[in-house]
Amino acid sequence: MSDTALETVTLEEAVLDAKPRGSLREVLTALFEDRLAFVGLILVLLTAFAALAAPWIAPQNPYDLAGLDILDGGLAPGAESPSGKVYWLGTDEQGRDMLSAILYGLRISLYVAGLATLIALAIGMAMGIIAAYFGRITETIIMRVVDLQLGFPSILIALILLAVLGRGVDKVIMALVLSQWAYYARVVRASALVENRKDYIAAAQCLALSHRRIMARHLLPNCLPPLIVVATVQIAHAISLEATLSFLGVGVPITEPSLGLLISNGYDYLLSGRYWVAVFPGMALLLIIVGVNLVGDRLRDVLNPRLQR
Amino acid sequence: MLVYMLRRLGQSVLAIVAMAVIVFVGVYALGNPVDILISPEATQLDMEAAVQRLGLDKPLWEQFTIYVGNVLHGDLGKSFVYGTPALTLILQRLPATLELAFVALALSVLFGVPLGVIAGLKPDTAAGRSIMAGSILGFSLPNFWQGMMLILVFAVILGWLPAGGRGTMVSVLGVELSVFTADGLAHLILPALNLALFKMSLVIRLARAATREVALQDYVKFARAKGLSERRIVLMHILKTIMIPITTILGLELASMIAFGIVTETVFSWPGMGKLLIDSINLLDRPVIVAYLMLTVFLIVMINLVVDILYAVLDPRISLKDMTA
């Protein structure tokens, strides 16, 4: 009932508005009609490719200390080093090529956010469907926990968990999962409640199919469209949250620097004018998040029957 | 109405109790309370005294009653670093955090509502589209990076505004505030903008969505048919209606402002309770972390409660019978 934050708005819009409409092809066509969404999709694909291919396309391995030249430290973007290498995005104080650091950082950021979103999605989906299907006390318990949790800003939940657990990639993933599963649970329950009343569920029950089969094969597929919208928006949120936690010093460890940690590192050099250490990783972060949000925004309009023109 | 309020109050109390129990389990049952609540630099004698005071040598259920008693008395332990009660330490920083949150909230409404209404009235014009694109950018920008860029542009490159701190403050009713001095305002504006930008995007989207719905309603069409000026229609008929959902959401957003203040306060070295929390995490000052947690949970639960009740009072369409679930 009481809930905060932007996600809730997008979430409620998604629940209210997104009903299955047309085939996948129709949705994709409608998606590409919008130039902004197309740009967003290209951005997402590009960054995903860059993250996957980082070891092959990065000019250097930023974590192989033997490959770093301390004499190249603190070079401005585009500067040529004494050894004749050109650093297009400059170097940090240890002579690390920022472009390579960003490509590797992208890997870690996307891995953490992607995996966390998948796990949260799985847990939230299961909880939401179970709540809607069984009703009664099961539903009350699950939804009370969901309501309680949605009352608190996600960053607070993640921060407290990490303050207790300490830093680490696995712990960040846990924190992201814990702070996000409730959104999915709520979305899925809302649409599952609607589906649950329909005849095909009654028919499946008359066939004496197992609860598990009805939930997984009949209920779940019909609850997916609003979930897709919410999940898209939430991936962007997860990427941003991970970066924020790492920036605050409670996120990924120093040995596996995500984009957030790179920016945090650049914070110390900001006031002395070496802006590039913080600016470029931030831009990379911005590009992914904007890309994902553009796609998500359009997806919501496409799946929304009320706004059909 | 009274039944609804009581029920809602009960839920809030339940949330706080749940939180207190979770904290107790985390600190006393799962963790080692000696490590968490007693400074590692304490002497053997101090340590024994603290064990006595907290009842750590007693069975768990007795520890729980002592813990509940302490919490009810506002005794949430002493900071390892400062040696003062953790709660006092946090309450001293509360005004700075609230000042920042309220100024940011005001900024987001002041800019967000007009922009959202424009985008809602003219969704297919260049202005409407660029406002919406801007709002996507606004909530895509990671808060901390956006703050750093504000510092880079306005403090480092242009040198117009200071990069951190609260500046000169004046005492208003015993509370030190920055907002009433020119220097304090100069210090406040960047952090407030940083915190507001995200919410502003949210307000724009809300206002746009609400305006699009309201603009199609019969009473707006009727007002137009009567020949009222566009200005009057927008101000009297549309704006009044859309402010109800926006006000509610904003009330709830105050809670998230306080939480996201952690990030802004860290970037701008704003001496609020969020910065205290991060410093305490880095220094392993656990009593302060625990106290911050308890206080913030309490604040957020209270804010949610007040907003829910206000919402029920403000909007006559909300049937309270439906809200008992």
Side-chain angles (χ1 to χ4, degrees):
Chain A
M1 181 160 45
S2 61
D3 32 58
T4 58
L6 175 74
E7 306 83 57
T8 322
V9 178
T10 43
L11 180 153
E12 268 157 13
E13 283 173 47
V15 177
L16 288 175
D17 299 343
K19 306 241 166 53
R21 177 195 135 188
S23 64
L24 185 67
R25 176 180 280 174
E26 267 177 42
V27 169
L28 282 180
T29 321
L31 190 62
F32 288 135
E33 272 171 12
D34 189 79
R35 252 177 304 162
L36 272 179
F38 189 67
V39 172
L41 197 67
I42 298 287
L43 275 179
V44 172
L45 291 179
L46 270 182
T47 42
F49 171 76
L52 280 176
W56 295 281
I57 58 175
Q60 64 168 217
N61 180 351
Y63 305 110
D64 177 14
L65 289 176
L68 301 184
D69 192 345
I70 195 82
L71 290 176
D72 291 354
L75 288 178
E80 199 173 328
S81 74
S83 54
K85 276 189 265 181
V86 179
Y87 295 104
W88 293 110
L89 298 184
T91 59
D92 68 4
E93 75 284 8
Q94 292 171 307
R96 185 172 290 132
D97 174 36
M98 283 316 293
L99 178 62
S100 310
I102 289 172
L103 289 172
Y104 275 78
L106 206 58
R107 259 169 105 81
I108 297 163
S109 288
L110 291 185
Y111 166 73
V112 170
L115 191 61
T117 305
L118 278 182
I119 301 174
L121 195 61
I123 297 177
M125 230 153 55
M127 287 298 159
I129 295 255
I130 289 173
Y133 185 76
F134 289 111
R136 294 164 175 273
I137 185 81
T138 322
E139 183 176 30
T140 312
I141 292 174
I142 293 178
M143 294 326 286
R144 271 284 176 278
V145 176
V146 167
D147 278 347
L148 188 69
Q149 205 188 320
L150 287 180
F152 295 97
S154 52
I155 187 169
L156 198 66
I157 295 171
L159 200 59
I160 293 305
L161 196 74
L162 287 170
V164 175
L165 295 177
R167 304 169 80 141
V169 168
D170 49 340
K171 287 159 193 153
V172 175
I173 293 178
M174 267 173 70
L176 291 184
V177 169
L178 190 75
S179 61
Q180 299 203 308
W181 72 275
Y183 296 113
Y184 299 118
R186 186 185 264 193
V187 176
V188 172
R189 172 183 167 263
S191 41
L193 276 180
V194 177
E195 294 299 321
N196 214 4
R197 282 191 224 112
K198 294 192 178 164
D199 287 343
Y200 68 88
I201 297 293
Q205 278 163 344
C206 289
L207 286 174
L209 298 179
S210 71
H211 291 314
R212 229 177 75 186
R213 194 184 157 101
I214 297 178
M215 282 190 282
R217 301 288 292 276
H218 297 259
L219 210 46
L220 184 61
N222 290 302
C223 300
L224 283 180
L227 201 60
I228 294 170
V229 178
V230 174
T232 320
V233 180
Q234 284 291 315
I235 288 181
H237 190 67
I239 295 171
S240 178
L241 192 56
E242 182 276 323
T244 306
L245 293 168
S246 296
F247 170 77
L248 291 174
V250 294
V252 296
I254 204 99
T255 49
E256 286 166 279
S258 66
L259 291 175
L261 203 59
L262 290 177
I263 299 171
S264 164
N265 182 28
Y267 182 66
D268 302 332
Y269 301 95
L270 198 64
L271 293 180
S272 60
R274 275 190 225 159
Y275 63 90
W276 56 89
V277 186
V279 168
F280 292 124
M283 284 188 172
L285 196 59
L286 182 62
L287 283 182
I288 320 167
I289 299 177
V290 167
V292 174
N293 277 337
L294 285 175
V295 174
D297 210 47
R298 179 66 183 162
L299 217 51
R300 184 173 51 231
D301 283 351
V302 170
L303 293 170
N304 179 354
R306 276 198 306 181
L307 286 182
Q308 272 183 48
R309 281 176 211 145
Chain B
M1 188 70 205
L2 191 67
V3 174
Y4 169 68
M5 278 188 187
L6 285 177
R7 196 186 289 260
R8 194 61 194 77
L9 188 69
Q11 281 174 10
S12 303
V13 172
L14 207 67
I16 293 173
V17 170
M19 204 59 226
V21 171
I22 290 173
V23 168
F24 176 80
V25 170
V27 174
Y28 287 78
L30 297 178
N32 182 356
V34 177
D35 286 349
I36 295 175
L37 298 175
I38 303 171
S39 169
E41 281 144 37
T43 62
Q44 193 64 34
L45 216 63
D46 287 344
M47 205 177 269
E48 274 164 20
V51 166
Q52 201 80 50
R53 187 172 62 85
L54 296 168
L56 296 182
D57 47 355
K58 303 208 172 84
L60 207 58
W61 65 268
E62 258 182 70
Q63 288 184 29
F64 185 70
T65 46
I66 294 174
Y67 160 81
V68 170
N70 283 344
V71 169
L72 288 180
H73 284 103
D75 177 5
L76 299 174
K78 267 187 182 171
S79 160
F80 296 165
V81 178
Y82 301 89
T84 48
L87 193 65
T88 322
L89 204 60
I90 295 172
L91 287 177
Q92 282 167 356
R93 314 289 180 101
L94 187 62
T97 297
L98 288 182
E99 179 181 36
L100 185 60
F102 277 115
V103 172
L105 204 60
L107 278 181
S108 52
V109 177
L110 243 57
F111 290 99
V113 172
L115 288 174
V117 171
I118 292 172
L121 287 174
K122 302 186 166 72
D124 288 321
T125 59
R129 280 173 179 274
S130 24
I131 290 172
M132 284 319 282
S135 88
I136 290 186
L137 194 69
F139 71 80
S140 295
L141 276 169
N143 207 263
F144 65 100
W145 188 68
Q146 174 231 322
M148 284 165 71
M149 293 304 107
L150 286 179
I151 291 181
L152 180 65
V153 173
F154 292 101
V156 179
I157 297 178
L158 297 173
W160 290 350
L161 294 165
R166 278 187 88 185
T168 320
M169 291 177 281
V170 285
S171 186
V172 181
L173 302 173
V175 180
E176 298 275 315
L177 291 178
S178 299
V179 74
F180 296 113
T181 66
D183 182 52
L185 210 57
H187 282 81
L188 182 60
I189 192 146
L190 283 187
L193 200 63
N194 172 236
L195 196 54
L197 215 63
F198 189 84
K199 295 299 166 225
M200 208 185 291
S201 314
L202 174 71
V203 173
I204 289 177
R205 298 176 78 80
L206 279 171
R208 172 179 177 265
T211 307
R212 286 187 74 174
E213 295 234 10
V214 172
L216 298 174
Q217 301 281 323
D218 286 341
Y219 66 86
V220 174
K221 285 183 191 157
F222 181 65
R224 208 161 262 143
K226 272 202 306 191
L228 294 184
S229 72
E230 190 64 25
R231 202 185 124 119
R232 196 177 157 81
I233 294 174
V234 170
L235 286 181
M236 295 298 295
H237 296 262
I238 294 180
L239 204 59
K240 260 189 179 173
T241 321
I242 68 169
M243 280 320 277
I244 295 175
I246 291 177
T247 317
T248 339
I249 297 274
L250 279 181
L252 296 173
E253 287 304 311
L254 191 61
S256 99
M257 284 271 197
I258 292 172
F260 271 94
I262 298 170
V263 180
T264 302
E265 286 170 13
T266 307
V267 174
F268 289 92
S269 311
W270 185 263
M273 49 187 224
K275 177 140 181 23
L276 180 69
L277 174 71
I278 296 298
D279 291 346
S280 303
I281 290 177
N282 289 331
L283 296 168
L284 294 178
D285 194 352
R286 295 190 201 86
V288 179
I289 303 174
V290 172
Y292 174 91
L293 179 61
M294 305 279 285
L295 186 73
T296 312
V297 166
F298 180 74
L299 269 181
I300 291 178
V301 168
M302 283 302 131
I303 291 172
N304 288 352
L305 174 70
V306 170
V307 172
D308 267 2
I309 291 180
L310 272 184
Y311 187 44
V313 174
L314 278 181
D315 194 338
R317 285 173 308 174
I318 307 288
S319 157
L320 292 174
K321 278 181 215 128
D322 296 344
M323 293 182 72
T324 50

